[in-house]
Amino acid sequence: MSPKNRKVQQFSARGGVMAAAAVATLAGIGGPAAAIPTDPVVQFTPTLTRVPGGNCAAIINAETVPQAQSGQFGVRVKITQSGQFCGAYRVAVRWRNLDSGYSDGQSHRVDENGVINATDGVIVGMGTAPGAGRVEASIVTTYEDGREMEYLAGTAAFTLG
């Protein structure tokens, strides 16, 4: 393959990622997802991210998962990854309780194949307990050393009882 064709392929791959990002952004314009304690599942807008490796990218779809204790939530993530020789990274849930001002987060490792290191793909832990109130949350990606990667964050807004 000549260098000229390789550049066209790289441009096409990047153009595809950008087109997907534009569609996801437009889909999320309708406003934040609304939830009340009796509405147990809230969908995040898709997270689009570049992944370490050769032209690697991922689309991360996520939804809240009700927890046994009040004021806590889990996030189920489903990752669709493409590219060659992709590397490991981390997916993080970051949130802010709008009523108390408290904010925190939780992250989990994703392997080279796009498989998250979390039971049933659900992110839970000490960093997913904002307490009762209105919560805004986002899904972001980081390198394993904690530096943020290139991404368009998925977001959701919900209320915990």
Side-chain angles (χ1 to χ4, degrees):
M1 177 183 300
S2 73
K4 183 176 182 180
N5 288 339
R6 174 173 255 183
K7 287 184 184 221
V8 169
Q9 276 186 324
Q10 288 175 344
F11 178 76
S12 296
R14 288 185 185 124
V17 169
M18 294 310 290
V23 168
T25 300
L26 290 174
I29 287 178
I36 56 174
T38 58
D39 186 2
V41 177
V42 175
Q43 301 291 320
F44 283 75
T45 59
T47 300
L48 305 169
T49 187
R50 296 187 87 178
V51 174
N55 282 327
C56 294
I59 299 172
I60 303 167
N61 292 300
E63 65 185 13
T64 60
V65 177
Q67 298 299 297
Q69 294 186 354
S70 176
Q72 296 183 2
F73 69 102
V75 177
R76 177 174 289 114
V77 297
K78 296 177 184 166
I79 301 169
T80 304
Q81 184 171 295
S82 64
Q84 298 176 342
F85 310 110
C86 299
Y89 57 100
R90 297 185 74 80
V91 169
V93 177
R94 295 183 180 159
W95 54 262
R96 179 172 175 82
N97 184 316
L98 300 175
D99 296 327
S100 70
Y102 182 56
S103 62
D104 201 354
Q106 180 81 21
S107 73
H108 282 268
R109 186 176 190 272
V110 177
D111 71 15
E112 298 80 10
N113 300 310
V115 177
I116 191 165
N117 183 20
T119 305
D120 297 326
V122 179
I123 295 174
V124 292
M126 295 298 289
T128 56
R134 297 172 298 134
V135 177
E136 287 183 347
S138 61
I139 306 292
V140 302
T141 54
T142 66
Y143 293 100
E144 292 200 83
D145 65 6
R147 293 177 299 127
E148 290 191 357
M149 296 169 44
E150 278 186 81
Y151 61 82
L152 290 174
T155 60
F158 49 93
T159 300
L160 294 175

